[in-house]
Amino acid sequence: MKGPDVTQKFNQPLGGNEMPRFGAPATFMRLPTQPTAKGLDACFVGVPMDIGTSNRPGTRFGPRQIRAESSFVRPYNMATRAAPFESLQVADIGDVAIDTFNLPKCMDIITEAYDRILAEDCIPLTLGGDHTIAYPILRAIAKKHGPVGLIHVDAHADINEHMFGEPIAHGTPFRRAVEAGVLDTKRCIQIGLRGTGYAADDFDWTRSQGFRVVQAEECWWKSLTPLMEEVRAQMGDGPVYLSYDIDSLDPGFAPGTGTPEIGGLTTVQALEIIRGCWGLNLVGCDLVEVSPPYDISGNTALTAAYLLYEMLCVLPGVERRI
C-alpha cells in the first residue's frame, strides 16, 4: 500500500529526471541546503579535516567527493522499503569551518558546531574527515544524551594513548572518549578490527573497559545479521552513536582511504551492519576516512554515500512502506 503524498511537507532530493545527475550543486543527494539545523529532523554535515592523520592525507576532500557521488542515490530503499524523505525533514547544512592549522582548536570548533545542531533536536549524519572528529562529536552528543552506546566499525581500534606524543589524532579518539566519560562502555562494540600491531594486546584495552570486540577474522565468510541481533540486545533502548570508518571495508572495495588493511569486510556486510541498526535509538552517525586522492574512480566515495543513505534509513522515525 502506498503511503500518503508528503513530498510537499518534507525536502526531497533532486531527481535524475528533473536535472541530469551530473548537474546542480553537489549537496548530499542534491538535497536543499541551509546554514543551520533549524527545523530539521536530521542533517548531513561535513567535517573536511585530515590534520589528524598519521600517514596518507586527503580526507579533507572526503565530504566534497561523497556529496558529488551521492547524486547516484535515489530516495527509496528498495530492500528495506524505508522512505526517509516521506518521514523526516532533512537537508545538507554544509561543512564545519575547521582551523586547518590547529588540531586541538578544531576539537572545540567541532564540539561547538555539534552543540548547535543538537540544540535543534536534529540528528547529525557526518561526512568525514579523518577519525579524530569522532571524539569532539561524541563530547557534544553526550552533553545532550548522556553517555551513549557505540557501534564502531573499523579496521583499527583507535585507542592509542598518544601518537608522536600527542593526545589528539585519528588513532586516539575512542580512548579520549572513554576517559571523558562520554561512552556507556558496557554498550560499546567494535567490529572489523584487523591487521598488524605494535603489541599482541593492541586490541585489548577496549575489552578491559567493557567493550565487545569482534575482529575481522570472526566475520569472514558469514552474514553479520545474527551479530547485529546480538548488538541490538546489547544496546537496548538507550542512545547509540554509529561511527563507521570506510577502512573497515577491504581495500578491494574501498581503496580510497589513508590506512588500508587487507582481509576486511565486504560491502554486503556493511549493509547488514547498518540495516541491523533498525530499531535502535540512534542519536548520530558518521562515515569517516574517505581519501579521494587514493581512488580516482570515485568508488570509495560512492560507497560512502550509499552507506550514509543507509544510516538515514535506520534513524528513529523513518517509516517503511508496505
Side-chain angles (χ1 to χ4, degrees):
M1 179 178 176
K2 186 178 180 181
D5 182 5
V6 293
T7 57
Q8 299 305 310
K9 178 180 178 182
F10 296 117
N11 293 336
Q12 300 297 307
L14 182 60
N17 292 321
E18 301 171 68
M19 169 69 72
R21 295 194 179 278
F22 47 81
T27 63
F28 193 86
M29 289 183 69
R30 304 195 299 178
L31 282 163
T33 185
Q34 60 183 64
T36 73
K38 187 175 180 60
L40 301 179
D41 300 305
C43 69
F44 292 99
V45 54
V47 185
M49 191 182 85
D50 61 8
I51 55 174
T53 55
S54 56
N55 187 15
R56 305 197 310 190
T59 57
R60 66 180 61 187
F61 305 115
R64 181 172 292 177
Q65 190 173 17
I66 293 169
R67 287 184 172 106
E69 300 298 342
S70 73
S71 66
F72 281 93
V73 187
R74 298 175 181 87
Y76 289 93
N77 192 316
M78 303 308 290
T80 68
R81 311 290 287 185
F85 302 106
E86 290 186 358
S87 309
L88 304 176
Q89 185 69 300
V90 187
D92 187 328
I93 65 167
D95 291 338
V96 176
I98 60 106
D99 181 341
T100 196
F101 304 108
N102 190 326
L103 183 58
K105 183 179 177 182
C106 285
M107 300 300 97
D108 291 335
I109 291 171
I110 295 168
T111 296
E112 290 165 7
Y114 280 75
D115 286 341
R116 293 190 291 271
I117 293 170
L118 295 164
E120 302 291 347
D121 293 325
C122 177
I123 300 175
L125 297 161
T126 302
L127 292 64
D130 71 63
H131 220 154
T132 317
I133 69 175
Y135 171 51
I137 294 171
L138 283 166
R139 291 193 307 191
I141 292 280
K143 287 183 193 178
K144 183 175 181 67
H145 298 285
V148 296
L150 174 71
I151 300 172
H152 171 209
V153 191
D154 202 327
H156 311 98
D158 292 350
I159 53 169
N160 292 352
E161 176 63 35
H162 295 93
M163 298 187 77
F164 287 92
E166 299 295 333
I168 302 296
H170 74 157
T172 69
F174 298 107
R175 183 176 287 250
R176 300 289 88 85
V178 170
E179 292 170 348
V182 301
L183 296 177
D184 178 357
T185 57
K186 299 302 181 184
R187 295 193 305 118
C188 293
I189 184 169
Q190 296 180 307
I191 304 171
L193 307 191
R194 62 187 188 276
T196 54
Y198 291 107
D201 61 354
D202 272 0
F203 296 157
D204 290 345
W205 186 83
T206 41
R207 289 186 173 105
S208 73
Q209 302 301 308
F211 285 45
R212 180 179 180 182
V213 176
V214 180
Q215 293 183 216
E217 290 80 2
E218 299 175 62
C219 302
W220 288 354
W221 317 116
K222 67 177 67 171
S223 168
L224 298 186
T225 298
L227 171 64
M228 293 310 296
E229 292 175 0
E230 297 173 5
V231 170
R232 288 194 301 275
Q234 178 186 3
M235 297 298 159
D237 297 329
V240 180
Y241 187 82
L242 171 61
S243 187
Y244 201 106
D245 190 323
I246 201 70
D247 72 25
S248 64
L249 298 177
D250 188 89
F253 295 102
T257 191
T259 316
E261 306 278 1
I262 67 167
L265 304 179
T266 68
T267 52
V268 171
Q269 290 174 317
L271 291 173
E272 289 177 326
I273 291 170
I274 297 172
R275 290 175 182 175
C277 293
W278 173 256
L280 292 179
N281 181 17
L282 284 172
V283 295
C285 308
D286 67 51
L287 191 296
V288 298
E289 296 286 359
V290 172
S291 183
Y294 291 96
D295 184 3
I296 59 172
S297 74
N299 283 339
T300 303
L302 176 67
T303 299
Y306 273 104
L307 296 183
L308 281 158
Y309 167 74
E310 292 282 344
M311 293 176 191
L312 175 65
C313 288
V314 295
L315 292 186
V318 172
E319 298 179 10
R320 293 185 169 186
R321 298 292 176 228
I322 298 173

